[in-house]
Amino acid sequence: MSTNPDRSGPGGDGVPAAGSSVVDIAIDRLRKRIESGEFTPGHRLPPEAVLASELELSRPSLREAVRALAMAGVLDVRRGDGTFVTDLRPDRLLRALGSFLDLAQDTGLNEMLECRKVLEPGATALAATRVDEAALDRLQERIERMRGLRDPEELVHEDIAFHADIVAASGNRTLASLADSVTQRTARARIWRALVKSDVLSWTHQQHMDIYTALRAHDSLAAFTAASRHVGDVELWVRDRLDAVRERR
């Protein structure tokens, strides 16, 4: 057995290095166990230390993979009892596995990402001309809360609320309704990104601060630019990951 947990080169499990994060690799190795029939629906997974050793992974990487698969509905983590494969039918189970592979089949996701890139920067620029002190204070509070979050789902929930508050500050209810519709369709991809991207906390915080600073200065152009960079970077990351996932299928 290798003495290098999380190695990204091909090994006994055949996982390729290209485009794979350690969390992707951990998910892939769990998937192979289920596909082989070793882990069947209702099966209780071995203890974390044992499974990490068997899969040649670090325990933190395995933990993140389990978290991702639990969020996808593939695993059921029962506090004090263990982690179990859910009782999904085998065909549904396999389609749900991998780095949120179902996202790769969502042909509307790319369009929703484009809509977000069109809507949010414009709404943020408009908000810069209309935002009041109370709204600015709420945005600052959200940024501070996000700094202390470590759970990807909580981080994305707070991130969505941050952007919703900005659109609301534009004073345009129709625009807010459109933005909310797009947000709901892209939330799952953003949670996936938060799970996999290792520097997402510092990256998100800095870009949110850039947006907030522009809003505080009531600078429409700076607000538009900061929001465009933020939304565009998220879109690019998600597109690249989905392309990598599709190529591996």
Side-chain angles (χ1 to χ4, degrees):
M1 179 177 291
S2 168
T3 58
N4 181 21
D6 291 351
R7 73 194 195 284
S8 56
D13 48 32
V15 176
S20 299
S21 74
V22 291
V23 177
D24 289 329
I25 292 169
I27 292 172
D28 231 24
R29 293 179 185 179
L30 282 171
R31 174 180 59 80
K32 290 181 184 299
R33 293 292 183 96
I34 294 172
E35 286 180 330
S36 71
E38 182 177 349
F39 295 161
T40 58
H43 184 97
R44 179 179 179 176
L45 298 188
E48 182 182 271
V50 174
L51 186 58
S53 177
E54 290 179 356
L55 298 177
E56 300 184 22
L57 296 164
S58 68
R59 292 176 68 172
S61 295
L62 175 62
R63 201 170 299 132
E64 288 304 307
V66 168
R67 184 201 294 264
L69 293 176
M71 289 173 62
V74 175
L75 296 178
D76 180 19
V77 180
R78 304 174 192 172
R79 191 178 298 275
D81 195 17
T83 300
F84 297 79
V85 178
T86 60
D87 59 357
L88 296 173
R89 298 193 310 271
D91 59 329
R92 291 178 59 197
L93 182 64
L94 296 179
R95 282 201 301 271
L97 285 166
S99 303
F100 288 72
L101 281 173
D102 51 333
L103 286 172
Q105 300 171 352
D106 185 355
T107 56
L109 179 60
N110 285 339
E111 291 185 2
M112 289 296 106
L113 291 169
E114 286 182 348
C115 286
R116 187 180 179 218
K117 189 167 61 174
V118 170
L119 287 173
E120 281 198 20
T124 305
L126 184 59
T129 68
R130 300 177 177 179
V131 67
D132 58 26
E133 288 298 313
L136 286 167
D137 289 345
R138 286 194 297 272
L139 290 173
Q140 186 174 25
E141 290 172 2
R142 287 201 184 279
I143 289 174
E144 290 306 312
R145 276 201 296 276
M146 279 187 276
R147 289 188 68 178
L149 293 177
R150 292 295 179 269
D151 181 87
E153 194 166 7
E154 290 180 6
L155 176 64
V156 172
H157 176 78
E158 198 66 32
D159 173 74
I160 288 172
F162 173 80
H163 291 288
D165 284 352
I166 292 174
V167 178
S170 73
N172 188 315
R173 288 180 295 177
T174 301
L175 186 56
S177 178
L178 289 170
D180 180 67
S181 177
V182 171
T183 293
Q184 298 311 314
R185 288 289 303 278
T186 60
R188 194 159 49 116
R190 290 154 75 179
I191 292 173
W192 175 47
R193 176 179 169 278
L195 277 163
V196 175
K197 186 170 171 60
S198 60
D199 62 343
V200 70
L201 289 172
S202 59
W203 181 93
T204 299
H205 176 70
Q206 183 56 55
Q207 294 207 343
H208 283 169
M209 282 301 302
D210 291 343
I211 294 170
Y212 170 77
T213 299
L215 291 171
R216 174 67 73 179
H218 300 285
D219 187 331
S220 298
L221 180 58
F224 182 89
T225 302
S228 294
R229 182 184 305 115
H230 175 62
V231 174
D233 283 355
V234 172
E235 180 194 23
L236 180 61
W237 189 92
V238 172
R239 285 183 186 276
D240 286 347
R241 298 301 300 175
L242 290 181
D243 286 345
V245 166
R246 293 183 182 112
E247 289 173 1
R248 294 205 302 269
R249 294 184 68 194

